[in-house]
Amino acid sequence: MTATPSPDTPPSTMMTDEEYGALRASAALWAGTSVLITDERGRVLIQHVDYRTTCLLPGGAVDANESPAQGAARELHEELGVTMTVGRGLAVDWVSADSLNAPAGMRFPGEILHVYDGGTWDDEQIAAIRLPDHEIRSVEFVEPARLPDLMSPGDARRALSALRARINAAGPALLENGLPISPTVLDRAGALRTARARHHLPFHAGPAPERLSVVQVWGWLLGPDGRVLVLLEPDTGAALLPGGAPELPDRDDPLITLRREVREEAAAGLGKALFLGHLRDPDKPYARLRYAAPLTRLGPPPVDPATGRTHIRVLATPEQALELFDWGLPAAGQLAAVHQARARLGIPRAARQPLTELPDATDLTTL
């Protein structure tokens, strides 16, 4: 039997089914699958296994006649004792044959590895994890910035790329050896490669007591489409909201501090600011104030006089912004206050969408 070529195919390319099958088999790659799971603080679940020194995401090889999604669900059941449907892809990685320094006897031909979104697990889901008697020694949730220290270089690159793709919400990322073919702003900035800003301080909706010294004023600056301005540090990829520490010329007026810091860090202007509340440090007499305000102007990116750096400016939904921070469970109260202020300001709630980089002066009416 022969494979019938198309009419314009040169005769020399005609092959038997056996020849065609052998050719395709000679170019075959392994297929693998893994699942990215986070807890409510945005930490990533990794597995300590008994057959290698580095950690892994849940997952493994795709079996014969099994789809990658089916393989991911099977691996979750075998490795964590969890039954769930896995359907949303985060990344597809082409792993080259020479990228792993695999032993010659392994005859590693390369691999196509799929990464699926296992979602955000609460305490009840985490408590339901049941490990097998062998292979998986333990699991833990770790700060994304720790992944390069705990995983092999390629596995860490892939996990971070998949996590950025989940936050960015532009669909699955296509990777080569863990790196995106088309990097997003989060990839280019290296977001999550350094520890996220950590403020596990209780949020209080009322004004700060007078006995507390205000050491920080930050603002949730809302664009016309409901997204907020987030700054990424160019050298570390760390994310922060516009704002900063009071200075003497501010005359103890937090709104003067906020407007000055927003101008210096982001060349931005803001409209009427609504007070959201404060974070209180239980061990120090300090208060950190939070405001929400419309973003009214955005000029060319400035050099921050405090740091000498020019921040990367992006618009993100408030929920995406929180995924770039480590603010713990108290962040839920602050997020609710942001949305209450947004409604009072007559600004719509933003649908989850890809982050938008704002490299130049921007006409906000076009957002």
Side-chain angles (χ1 to χ4, degrees):
M1 181 177 179
T2 60
T4 303
S6 61
D8 58 349
T9 302
S12 62
T13 63
M14 183 179 292
M15 292 184 240
T16 66
D17 289 345
E18 292 76 11
E19 290 171 337
Y20 184 72
L23 177 64
R24 294 299 299 267
S26 69
L29 300 173
W30 291 357
T33 188
S34 61
V35 184
L36 181 82
I37 298 165
T38 56
D39 65 6
E40 293 178 307
R41 283 180 50 190
R43 298 178 300 178
V44 177
L45 184 147
I46 59 171
Q47 300 180 152
H48 297 265
V49 297
D50 60 13
Y51 55 89
R52 59 190 294 178
T53 58
T54 55
C55 298
L56 297 168
L57 296 181
V62 176
D63 288 345
N65 299 316
E66 181 180 59
S67 74
Q70 291 171 335
R74 173 182 53 75
E75 291 285 351
L76 284 178
H77 181 71
E78 292 175 357
E79 297 181 342
L80 301 181
V82 172
T83 301
M84 63 180 291
T85 300
V86 178
R88 180 177 173 228
L90 294 178
V92 178
D93 191 11
W94 176 80
V95 182
S96 63
D98 59 355
S99 65
L100 299 183
N101 295 319
M106 184 182 288
R107 295 185 294 176
F108 176 60
E111 184 173 25
I112 297 294
L113 205 154
H114 299 252
V115 185
Y116 288 93
D117 189 357
T120 299
W121 288 15
D122 58 24
D123 291 342
E124 183 177 351
Q125 290 171 293
I126 295 170
I129 292 174
R130 296 292 181 268
L131 301 183
D133 295 333
H134 63 283
E135 186 178 347
I136 312 300
R137 292 190 287 109
S138 64
V139 299
E140 66 172 322
F141 286 88
V142 302
E143 175 68 21
R146 291 188 60 207
L147 295 178
D149 297 327
L150 298 169
M151 307 178 80
S152 71
D155 289 345
R157 289 194 300 268
R158 183 184 313 112
L160 284 173
S161 293
L163 182 55
R164 291 174 188 139
R166 185 168 87 169
I167 295 172
N168 191 56
L174 297 180
L175 314 177
E176 291 185 358
N177 294 322
L179 296 176
I181 297 173
S182 299
T184 68
V185 62
L186 293 180
D187 298 311
R188 293 192 302 272
L192 306 174
R193 63 187 168 89
T194 55
R196 298 170 298 161
R198 188 178 189 275
H199 294 295
H200 289 200
L201 302 177
F203 176 75
H204 303 272
E210 292 186 2
R211 69 178 185 278
L212 300 181
S213 299
V214 174
V215 296
Q216 184 188 77
V217 185
W218 280 1
W220 293 85
L221 304 189
L222 292 149
D225 64 352
R227 291 185 291 171
V228 297
L229 180 64
V230 177
L231 306 180
L232 302 175
E233 293 186 353
D235 51 347
T236 67
L240 64 153
L241 293 177
E247 297 180 0
L248 286 177
D250 299 339
R251 304 190 301 276
D252 292 326
D253 186 331
L255 284 179
I256 293 178
T257 297
L258 180 61
R259 292 182 185 277
R260 174 184 54 76
E261 288 285 344
V262 165
R263 181 178 65 253
E264 293 176 352
E265 291 182 340
L270 58 145
K272 178 183 178 181
L274 300 181
F275 180 69
L276 300 181
H278 68 282
L279 281 68
R280 189 181 306 176
D281 192 324
D283 301 320
K284 300 176 183 178
Y286 296 155
R288 305 168 189 267
L289 307 187
R290 298 291 183 263
Y291 287 84
L295 180 63
T296 59
R297 179 184 60 82
L298 202 66
V303 175
D304 185 351
T307 64
R309 295 175 293 199
T310 298
H311 291 101
I312 300 168
R313 304 174 301 178
V314 299
L315 287 179
T317 67
E319 291 76 14
Q320 287 170 312
L322 282 180
E323 291 178 70
L324 296 170
F325 309 138
D326 180 13
W327 289 1
L329 297 182
Q334 191 172 162
L335 181 62
V338 171
H339 282 301
Q340 291 171 2
R342 175 192 53 74
R344 289 173 57 191
L345 293 167
I347 297 174
R349 183 170 188 145
R352 195 173 183 93
Q353 58 193 285
L355 275 67
T356 300
E357 184 177 3
L358 303 169
D360 303 309
T362 300
D363 181 1
L364 297 174
T365 62
T366 63
L367 297 177

